[in-house]
Amino acid sequence: MPYDPSAFPPFAVTVDLVVLTVRRHALCALAVRRGEPPFQGRWALPGGFVRADEDLAQAAARELAEETGLRAHDPAVPAQDNGAHLEQLATYGDPKRDPRMRVVSVAHLALAPDLPAPRAGGDASNARWAPVEELLQQGGYGRDGEPVAPLAFDHAQILSDGVERARSKIEYSSLATAFCPTEFTVGELRRVYEAVWGVALDPRNFHRKVTGTPGFLVPTGGTTTRQGGRPAQLFRAGGATLLNPPMLRPEV
Amino acid sequence: MPYDPSAFPPFAVTVDLVVLTVRRHALCALAVRRGEPPFQGRWALPGGFVRADEDLAQAAARELAEETGLRAHDPAVPAQDNGAHLEQLATYGDPKRDPRMRVVSVAHLALAPDLPAPRAGGDASNARWAPVEELLQQGGYGRDGEPVAPLAFDHAQILSDGVERARSKIEYSSLATAFCPTEFTVGELRRVYEAVWGVALDPRNFHRKVTGTPGFLVPTGGTTTRQGGRPAQLFRAGGATLLNPPMLRPEV
DNA sequence: GATCATAGTCGTCTGCCTGACGATAAACAC
DNA sequence: GTGTTTATCGTCAGGCAGACGACTATGATC
């Protein structure tokens, strides 16, 4: 195939972000309201065009910072604090996914601890954390009784894929700690698993499992009582990234 | 962000293919020789531009058919024969990955049973199955004593990611059957695992494990003796796609 | 201050799965 | 027949997970 610039059609390339966090025992995703057509007024995933001199991961990190103020976690610096986990998810390129033009979107998945409040260009009403089931239900009515419109474009599919990735990845990696603050208790980590998987876990077996997995948790020495009840030990994420044996997701 | 066609730079979008198979107890990948600069004469992964009206998966399936004659396995037809498994792998978009222009490549992973012979535009000398370690070694000398040049572009990284995906995915899915013909024996399936993982497995424990996992294998009733020794039962891939519990890859 | 509710932590027991490995079965080569 | 190769069945011990009892340490309530 000789090199011929007219031999290939031009594409626009964007990054879209599935930013997940756990709030009030529910897995939530960041959604922004679209200000212009198509899908004006509908909720969508945050994202934007990749710039001419930018790598895909850079573009995703830039969008993440613009939308949330989060810095992306550099994989080369595992002990970095307050950085969000960011990884490529999948690429969506259906010719009709954007009615305006041919857009290929490289979706990324970000996991963040619970954050104060979202921002989207400074306008809080145009960005929110919403439970993923609420964003994924087709039509129907949300918790507040208002009608729910599906996400713009193919973003329901992207969000669904991102949630599934997160659900499976916390099984065999220490990624669940990305949902926790720098220091956290075993109970807080358990509530992350329960929210992401949507199941209840036995606190005793969970405690035995996570404290017995080498490299998963490192005790800081401190304790906290912010959950009420007996004070709990505080931990930081250990160096291990892959858990062997993995956490087991209960059968449905 | 208002819609402004001049606000985004144009990209070329390609699909690159990591086509894996098991030949002579070794994990092999399809490589094609580049006929023009850049990297003229070097080996590369097969691939090509995505057309204007084509989905990414369609483009990957078309390239796969052009290079190997394989039809992609439609996930909606699980019992389809002789179709190769095809899935999206990852997307590579470093601004300098192609010296000519800005190219974003959506890599796909294909798994195929052992095939007669590769073809690349009818010229067999420009396409071959090569063991992945041979393609991935940087410089040095191959089995035949000839100097080995690294793969073109970032294809070593793509191939490495594809191999790692395959290695981990046969742990928890029935994907290893994609390397086998329609009917196969437990021993043949074991040799697939051994080649992909590069380890030796205990035949007795392997047999117990795979025949005891519901939905993994379905006996066809026939037997074969094509491996020599006692005749072995023939199986087809069962309906299960996810293995629970998974196959365990031995520690290094 | 006693009592209660809440949450955390340590143990025990049982069943299942895995790895190691012995034994037998059925073909082919000589 | 003997040896070789591959397939298949069985046995046994160790480890891990699920179920669940027991105890500890805090704050809330009376």
Side-chain angles (χ1 to χ4, degrees), chain A residues 196-245:
Chain A
V196 175
W197 284 343
V199 298
L201 300 175
D202 184 289
R204 297 157 292 187
N205 292 336
F206 184 87
H207 187 278
R208 177 183 61 189
K209 173 72 180 177
V210 295
T211 57
T213 300
F216 195 4
L217 300 182
V218 176
T220 67
T223 60
T224 183
T225 173
R226 61 173 166 250
Q227 299 287 338
R230 170 177 167 179
Q233 271 188 276
L234 283 169
F235 294 88
R236 274 200 311 271
T241 55
L242 255 52
L243 304 181
N244 211 322

Side-chain angles (χ1 to χ4, degrees), chain A residues 1 36 52 54 88 91 102, chain B residues 1 36 52 54 88 91 102:
Chain A
M1 86 194 89
E36 72 277 0
E54 220 177 21
Q88 195 186 105
T91 300
R102 188 71 199 265
Chain B
M1 86 192 88
E36 74 277 0
E54 222 178 19
Q88 195 186 103
T91 299
R102 187 70 199 267

Side-chain angles (χ1 to χ4, degrees), chain A residues 1 3 8-13 36 47 49-56 88 90-91 93-95 100-102 106, chain B residues 1 3 8-13 36 47 49-56 88 90-95 100-102 106:
Chain A
M1 86 194 89
Y3 172 44
F8 60 90
F11 289 73
V13 175
E36 72 277 0
F49 292 108
V50 177
R51 295 179 182 164
D53 57 350
E54 220 177 21
D55 191 8
L56 301 174
Q88 195 186 105
T91 300
D94 187 291
R100 297 167 295 183
M101 56 188 166
R102 188 71 199 265
V106 183
Chain B
M1 86 192 88
Y3 171 45
F8 59 90
F11 289 72
V13 176
E36 74 277 0
F49 291 110
V50 177
R51 296 179 181 165
D53 57 349
E54 222 178 19
D55 192 8
L56 301 174
Q88 195 186 103
T91 299
Y92 300 82
D94 188 290
R100 296 167 296 182
M101 57 187 165
R102 187 70 199 267
V106 184

Side-chain angles (χ1 to χ4, degrees), chain B residues 88-146:
Chain B
Q88 195 186 103
L89 176 58
T91 299
Y92 300 82
D94 188 290
K96 296 194 170 58
R97 65 181 293 278
D98 188 317
R100 296 167 296 182
M101 57 187 165
R102 187 70 199 267
V103 178
V104 165
S105 176
V106 184
H108 286 69
L109 174 66
L111 308 183
D114 198 357
L115 298 171
R119 65 179 203 200
D123 188 349
S125 73
N126 287 333
R128 64 165 182 153
W129 294 105
V132 293
E133 326 90 68
E134 195 176 317
L135 291 173
L136 286 176
Q137 63 181 301
Q138 297 290 330
Y141 296 86
R143 272 174 317 167
D144 49 7
E146 283 185 38

Side-chain angles (χ1 to χ4, degrees), chain A residues 116-143:
Chain A
R119 67 181 201 199
D123 187 349
S125 74
N126 286 335
R128 63 164 182 154
W129 294 104
V132 293
E133 326 92 66
E134 196 175 317
L135 290 173
L136 287 176
Q137 62 181 299
Q138 298 290 327
Y141 296 86
R143 272 174 316 169

Side-chain angles (χ1 to χ4, degrees), chain A residues 16 31-49 98-100 120 125-127 150-153 155, chain B residues 1-3:
Chain A
D16 284 325
V32 298
R33 197 193 294 273
R34 286 187 57 79
E36 72 277 0
F39 301 101
Q40 186 168 24
R42 293 264 285 280
W43 293 98
L45 299 177
F49 292 108
D98 189 317
R100 297 167 295 183
S125 74
N126 286 335
L151 289 173
F153 303 108
H155 288 186
Chain B
M1 86 192 88
Y3 171 45

